Amino acid sequence: MCFKILVFVKQVPDTTDIRWTEHNTIQREGLESVINPYDLGAVQLAKNIKSALGDCKISAVSMGPLQAKEALKEAIAFGCDDAYLLCDKKFAGSDTLATAYVLSQFVKTHCSDFNLIICGYQAVDGDTAQTPSSLAQRLGIAQITGVTALKDICNEYSVWIKDTSAYKQEIKITHPALVSTTLKDIDFTVPVNGWIKAQTTDITVLSAGDISAETSKTGFCGSPTQVKKAYRPVIVRHTELIEPDNCEEASNSIVSIINRCKEQDDN
Amino acid sequence: MTTNTLVYIEINNNKIENVSKEIISHVSKNFDDTSVCGFLTVNTTLSESLFSELRQIGLDKIYIIQHEALKDFNVEVFSGVISQLISNIQPQVLLMGATVNGRELAPRIAANLQIGLTADCTDLKIEDNMLLATRPTYGGQMMATIYSKTLPGFATVRPGAFLKRNFPEKNTEIVYFEANFDGVYEILNKTEILSTEYKPQTDDWTNSDIIIAGGLGLKSKENFEKLYKLCDLIGAKPAASRAAVELGWAPSEIQVGQTGRSVSAKLYIALGISGALQHMTGISNAQKVLAVNTDKNAPIMSCSDVAIVADATAVIEALTNKFS
């Protein structure tokens, strides 16, 4: 029986290259878009599973504007078999709760016979790490957050390594299930014919209606969290500049500050 | 109007996580007119020592959910029973630590209750009875203040973002919450932890009183060794900038900044750190920042309380002599 994997990918701005406007907002024009680095880790794990099981289909899924087709083409070039783009004006401005709702509606209407969902741990533009958990809850399935390697897999279950700063665990999970991975910055070699396959594979674009999504639960209106303000952090401290003549003088100033701190009460 | 705030008291290895205490400290001090309640999950009767500690963290009331199925953390089981508690007591604000477990648990609770959630916050306040949660985004290059249209206002908080304070013993009311555990064993059967290997933990240094951090200005790994020795002499904890960690001069566990840890020290001394924005967001909650740098124009010099133009390595030598 064919093992069905869904990999969710997000197209994100390249956060290593952010420029600012004079109003301290992000300069979006000319901002490069890339596949979220953690999602490439998810694609890699899916490919590992495919080599282990053989009979396996990997579908890449994204929610976003038409431009996100580029990210999905890349996912196909890297080894995914087909791709879906969930694209509707009514999805714009979705927070994590609304996003997970849209993704869950796709799964329920188009791929309810999936075996495993793999997500990146978090997206580098938001860093929230909420969507995988939220999606697993919507689908009522078990999950492992932050896996780092696949140990063993068959159609019924898989065994994963989760390596955190506090502990290393081996966890067995029964399918269908969701795992998210902290693997990122995978150094991919695009398989022979990868880009040709990407250019010749049609990406299925689905609207809210296609996935039976209630638009009151999607987009800006369906999102409970709202940004009150976004700003560039400004650190305000009134600086006392000391230019000592020598190191002895410098260290004396520091000693007196340390001593004052030690004497200071709790409040 | 009184705000009713509920805080998750995360217990691991029979110990209350620092972040839980940090959140309670912040709420008690900064949310006016609020009653602060906590809740926790256990699989067996709480030890006396833990009970007495729970009475000393400034809470008005603690809800305990006790059941043998809560022995190991299982996100499906935990989110299910915690959601029951939330629905039952209907707090206006719900807060959890953004720990490994907390970051996994909170979104499931939010999805279950269909409420908004703001993750990994570094500041919280109440305005017009509404929770305003501030968090870094775009890798620390931008801050966003977020509110939710749904109740309770729900956020997870970055460990180290708030200062942990001491509280006088309080007459904390203890309430056992009877949750419904139907179907829980079927859920537990879906995931099985085959093995766990705990790693030796460096004790939590992010909220120690004095932190002395080194950056590129320390010039070598050997000078970091000298920094550690100086910290021992002073009773401070060492830390490092991302640049120093990336060069292998210091371990990543002590990295400060958006990609490292947030600190809330009373005094943060930055030796030879230029002060990239991602570093500065990690120390925004330090009470006092003292920077030592040879470059008077380094970014950190204009956003510190005291900026001393001097060579960091020479300062380490001189301080070591003074405190020896």
Side-chain angles (χ1 to χ4, degrees):
Chain A
M1 201 182 74
C2 180
F3 190 82
K4 289 185 178 146
I5 304 175
L6 301 174
V7 177
F8 286 94
V9 301
K10 184 180 183 187
Q11 190 179 45
V12 296
D14 185 352
T15 49
T16 55
D17 182 34
I18 284 181
R19 279 182 287 265
W20 298 88
T21 66
E22 56 184 305
H23 307 294
N24 275 341
T25 56
I26 286 177
Q27 172 92 52
R28 288 180 191 275
E29 269 169 44
L31 196 58
E32 286 277 324
S33 289
V34 296
I35 292 192
N36 177 40
Y38 290 98
D39 299 346
L40 287 180
V43 173
Q44 180 63 58
L45 287 176
K47 285 171 70 180
N48 295 352
I49 292 172
K50 194 170 184 169
S51 356
L53 293 178
D55 190 11
C56 173
K57 185 179 156 204
I58 308 170
S59 302
V61 188
S62 189
M63 181 182 104
L66 281 175
Q67 190 202 347
K69 272 188 174 181
E70 292 308 310
L72 289 169
K73 288 205 159 149
E74 224 176 303
I76 292 172
F78 288 141
C80 294
D81 297 296
D82 59 9
Y84 297 85
L85 177 64
L86 316 178
C87 179
D88 196 306
K89 266 186 240 154
K90 296 273 170 57
F91 297 160
S94 292
D95 69 359
T96 52
L97 192 76
T99 301
Y101 169 71
V102 171
L103 302 183
S104 71
Q105 282 304 115
F106 164 76
V107 176
K108 287 174 185 170
T109 54
H110 283 74
C111 306
S112 58
D113 60 343
F114 74 96
N115 299 91
L116 188 66
I117 293 174
I118 312 180
C119 303
Y121 176 71
Q122 62 183 9
V124 293
D125 57 346
D127 308 321
T128 75
Q130 290 177 8
T131 307
S133 265
S134 194
L135 175 61
Q137 175 69 31
R138 291 265 187 193
L139 297 172
I141 55 173
Q143 72 178 103
I144 312 175
T145 299
V147 301
T148 44
L150 174 71
K151 175 104 192 279
D152 188 16
I153 188 158
C154 63
N155 275 27
E156 291 72 38
Y157 67 85
S158 45
V159 180
W160 299 86
I161 308 287
K162 174 174 176 173
D163 199 352
T164 74
S165 57
Y167 57 79
K168 186 176 177 179
Q169 272 180 339
E170 229 178 86
I171 307 169
K172 179 178 164 184
I173 194 161
T174 306
H175 303 146
L178 178 150
V179 297
S180 78
T181 180
T182 47
L183 290 179
K184 62 167 181 169
D185 299 326
I186 303 290
D187 190 14
F188 268 116
T189 344
V190 175
V192 182
N193 292 337
W195 287 113
I196 296 171
K197 193 176 144 213
Q199 296 310 323
T200 53
T201 306
D202 278 334
I203 290 168
T204 312
V205 180
L206 299 169
S207 68
D210 295 332
I211 57 170
S212 310
E214 293 172 45
T215 48
S216 62
K217 292 182 180 173
T218 69
F220 187 76
C221 294
S223 297
T225 59
Q226 306 282 328
V227 177
K228 188 178 165 74
K229 60 174 179 179
Y231 55 98
R232 213 174 158 182
V234 185
I235 291 105
V236 185
R237 292 183 193 267
H238 298 286
T239 311
E240 177 197 348
L241 183 71
I242 303 175
E243 294 183 78
D245 293 332
N246 53 46
C247 192
E248 180 63 20
E249 211 180 301
S251 59
N252 283 339
S253 306
I254 299 173
V255 170
S256 70
I257 292 170
I258 290 174
N259 288 339
R260 242 181 290 152
C261 171
K262 285 185 169 176
E263 286 158 15
Q264 196 187 330
D265 279 330
D266 251 20
N267 293 309
Chain B
M1 202 176 104
T2 311
T3 322
N4 184 1
T5 301
L6 188 66
V7 182
Y8 178 43
I9 306 167
E10 187 174 339
I11 298 176
N12 288 316
N13 295 329
N14 214 30
K15 210 174 143 272
I16 302 171
E17 288 283 333
N18 269 328
V19 65
S20 306
K21 296 181 191 172
E22 290 162 8
I23 296 170
I24 295 162
S25 301
H26 178 84
V27 169
S28 322
K29 192 174 173 212
N30 297 287
F31 289 15
D32 293 333
D33 205 15
T34 190
S35 78
V36 198
C37 304
F39 71 96
L40 56 93
T41 59
V42 280
N43 65 314
T44 173
T45 315
L46 282 179
S47 69
E48 257 323 300
S49 62
L50 203 54
F51 253 122
S52 87
E53 195 184 352
L54 285 168
R55 289 202 169 89
Q56 288 165 40
I57 54 173
L59 291 170
D60 296 308
K61 198 185 217 179
I62 295 175
Y63 297 90
I64 297 177
I65 312 174
Q66 187 181 329
H67 194 278
E68 56 171 18
L70 299 170
K71 183 169 177 290
D72 293 313
F73 177 74
N74 176 294
V75 69
E76 259 186 291
V77 172
F78 274 53
S79 61
V81 296
I82 293 170
S83 298
Q84 292 177 39
L85 174 75
I86 311 301
S87 302
N88 193 277
I89 61 175
Q90 303 196 338
Q92 279 146 297
V93 176
L94 173 62
L95 303 170
M96 299 175 64
T99 57
V100 173
N101 290 351
R103 295 189 84 188
E104 187 176 13
L105 184 56
R108 275 199 95 122
I109 295 170
N112 198 359
L113 300 174
Q114 307 275 302
I115 56 173
L117 164 66
T118 308
D120 222 15
C121 299
T122 52
D123 197 18
L124 300 171
K125 64 178 174 191
I126 298 284
E127 227 173 75
D128 301 328
N129 282 311
M130 191 192 275
L131 177 71
L132 295 183
T134 300
R135 65 185 306 272
T137 179
Y138 286 100
Q141 297 180 79
M142 197 163 165
M143 303 297 287
T145 300
I146 293 165
Y147 68 93
S148 176
K149 294 188 285 190
T150 48
L151 278 177
F154 188 11
T156 61
V157 176
R158 245 191 159 203
F162 300 134
L163 195 66
K164 187 173 78 182
R165 297 157 75 229
N166 294 325
F167 291 95
E169 188 147 339
K170 204 163 177 172
N171 191 14
T172 307
E173 188 188 344
I174 308 272
V175 179
Y176 283 86
F177 178 75
E178 294 295 332
N180 180 348
F181 280 84
D182 288 352
V184 73
Y185 293 101
E186 284 85 77
I187 295 176
L188 287 177
N189 277 337
K190 290 195 286 182
T191 49
E192 187 187 347
I193 297 167
L194 303 176
S195 70
T196 305
E197 203 182 295
Y198 288 98
K199 296 181 183 176
Q201 289 298 298
T202 40
D203 48 332
D204 192 26
W205 51 274
T206 55
N207 54 19
S208 46
D209 287 349
I210 304 176
I211 292 173
I212 310 182
L216 288 184
L218 256 59
K219 299 189 190 96
S220 69
K221 196 173 177 176
E222 289 67 45
N223 283 326
F224 265 91
E225 297 295 334
K226 290 180 186 167
L227 173 69
Y228 303 153
K229 196 178 147 209
L230 174 66
C231 285
D232 280 344
L233 289 171
I234 297 179
K237 295 286 182 195
S241 72
R242 184 167 77 183
V245 169
E246 281 176 355
L247 284 170
W249 295 350
S252 61
E253 289 80 46
I254 63 167
Q255 183 181 321
V256 170
Q258 169 61 16
T259 45
R261 305 289 302 272
S262 292
V263 300
S264 47
K266 286 182 190 159
L267 175 61
Y268 183 82
I269 304 179
L271 300 177
I273 292 175
S274 66
L277 193 55
Q278 74 88 20
H279 186 86
M280 300 312 290
T281 54
I283 63 170
S284 59
N285 285 308
Q287 281 178 21
K288 190 170 193 131
V289 176
L290 187 165
V292 176
N293 208 300
T294 45
D295 179 7
K296 194 167 122 178
N297 298 316
I300 200 167
M301 300 297 262
S302 56
C303 34
S304 298
D305 299 287
V306 182
I308 300 180
V309 184
D311 177 63
T313 55
V315 162
I316 291 182
E317 298 278 354
L319 286 174
T320 305
N321 291 336
K322 282 192 194 303
F323 281 97
S324 291

